Amino acid sequence: MKYPLFALLLVALAAPVAAQTPPVPAFQFKCEDHANTQLRKTYCETRDLTLPAPPAGTPLSVDARLNGSITVRGWAGATVRVRALVQASSGELADARALAASVRISTSGHQVQAARANGSLDDWGVSYEVLVPTNTSLALHATNGGLRLENVQGTIRFETTNGGVQLLNLAGDVRGKTTNGSLALVLTGATWDGTGFDVQTTSGSIRCEVPATYAATLTARTTNGRVKASLAPATRKQLLPRSLMATFGKGGPQLRLATINGSIEVQQPAAGSSLAPGKE
């Protein structure tokens, strides 16, 4: 009778530890059906990787160049989890499959990047979905692909050439740009937690959603476009056709938005109401 009692004691001791383990969010990236033609076939596969989180002060670098997008989401775990979606195309499906197999993904030195075995950049691309501990600094690079960042705090730098950028519930020191693409930002909480952000696009619109009660200072400028703002009555602002300076609450961290060829829209609901992301 001693052994069953001892086993039950072990289970009882282990249960609280198991309960503290955060659930792993499910990856959202998956291969889609492609409309193959007689001349072109596309093959897709996913690869899941786990690597240690970078130490404080060291960014996790994700490079999706030449053809690929990046999605980063913060989670309560202590490791970095990556899903790489590898796509390749060729005249024959077997050749496309072989091309995808030749793509090598490196994760050394807290850098995630891919390369084809023979060095060619043609006819293949890798997109990344990355789950990181919430407090993780990032350095993200893409060329032909969009960026999406959610629930991350740290020193964040990003750049893409042809792709839109979505920033949701971020904090820290965030700076980045896209050349041909729009920017969408959703702020949360009572204020920006950190230094602030400075984001810009060359050819694209910007939309920023601010909570009804917030504390920060925002500057928005466009060269060839218009600035539109729908702000809570208590928000102090100076709105001109191509610029906006707004002080939310008592002010605070500096938030900067800029575009050259595009419009800017800043939305803030009145106190007591809410604004659903992406909705008027």
Side-chain angles (χ1 to χ4, degrees), residues 183-195:
L183 285 166
L185 302 93
V186 177
L187 310 182
T188 58
T191 186
W192 182 269
D193 184 6
T195 305

Side-chain angles (χ1 to χ4, degrees), residues 126-151:
V126 182
S127 293
Y128 300 95
E129 182 180 1
V130 187
L131 307 178
V132 300
T134 303
N135 293 294
T136 301
S137 294
L138 300 168
L140 310 178
H141 302 276
T143 301
N144 298 308
L147 306 176
R148 181 182 176 93
L149 288 75
E150 303 178 40
N151 306 322

Side-chain angles (χ1 to χ4, degrees), residues 9-252:
L9 179 60
L10 289 178
V11 172
L13 291 174
V17 176
Q20 295 175 4
T21 303
V24 180
F27 285 119
Q28 298 175 0
F29 275 20
K30 61 181 181 180
C31 289
E32 304 288 349
D33 292 333
H34 295 277
N36 291 326
T37 67
Q38 290 184 341
L39 300 178
R40 209 70 181 164
K41 304 294 191 298
T42 298
Y43 174 79
C44 174
E45 66 182 35
T46 59
R47 306 177 193 174
D48 294 349
L49 312 168
T50 300
L51 53 147
T58 300
L60 173 70
S61 174
V62 183
D63 191 339
R65 292 173 288 192
L66 185 62
N67 300 302
S69 64
I70 304 172
T71 292
V72 180
R73 294 185 285 143
W75 76 299
T79 59
V80 174
R81 297 174 180 265
V82 180
R83 168 161 288 184
L85 191 149
V86 183
Q87 297 186 91
S89 60
S90 185
E92 299 293 336
L93 186 59
D95 293 335
R97 183 181 292 108
L99 178 57
S102 73
V103 175
R104 300 291 180 260
I105 299 174
S106 169
T107 60
S108 63
H110 306 291
Q111 297 181 344
V112 180
Q113 57 186 348
R116 185 180 168 186
N118 65 5
S120 172
L121 298 176
D122 295 333
D123 299 323
W124 65 272
V126 182
S127 293
Y128 300 95
E129 182 180 1
V130 187
L131 307 178
V132 300
T134 303
N135 293 294
T136 301
S137 294
L138 300 168
L140 310 178
H141 302 276
T143 301
N144 298 308
L147 306 176
R148 181 182 176 93
L149 288 75
E150 303 178 40
N151 306 322
V152 184
Q153 177 173 349
T155 300
I156 299 173
R157 302 291 183 265
F158 66 83
E159 181 175 1
T160 185
T161 301
N162 300 307
V165 177
Q166 295 177 294
L167 309 175
L168 298 87
N169 189 29
L170 302 185
D173 181 10
V174 179
R175 303 182 187 183
K177 62 181 180 179
T178 179
T179 301
N180 300 306
S182 62
L183 285 166
L185 302 93
V186 177
L187 310 182
T188 58
T191 186
W192 182 269
D193 184 6
T195 305
F197 67 71
D198 188 340
V199 297
Q200 56 187 291
T201 178
T202 300
S203 297
S205 62
I206 300 176
R207 180 182 174 90
C208 180
E209 298 179 6
V210 184
T213 55
Y214 202 69
T217 301
L218 183 142
T219 301
R221 300 183 185 278
T222 180
T223 302
N224 300 309
R226 288 291 185 269
V227 177
K228 177 182 177 182
S230 177
L231 306 180
T235 298
R236 291 165 288 167
K237 65 179 182 295
Q238 180 181 8
L239 177 61
L240 299 174
R242 290 184 172 85
S243 67
L244 167 68
M245 295 184 63
T247 301
F248 301 101
K250 296 182 180 180

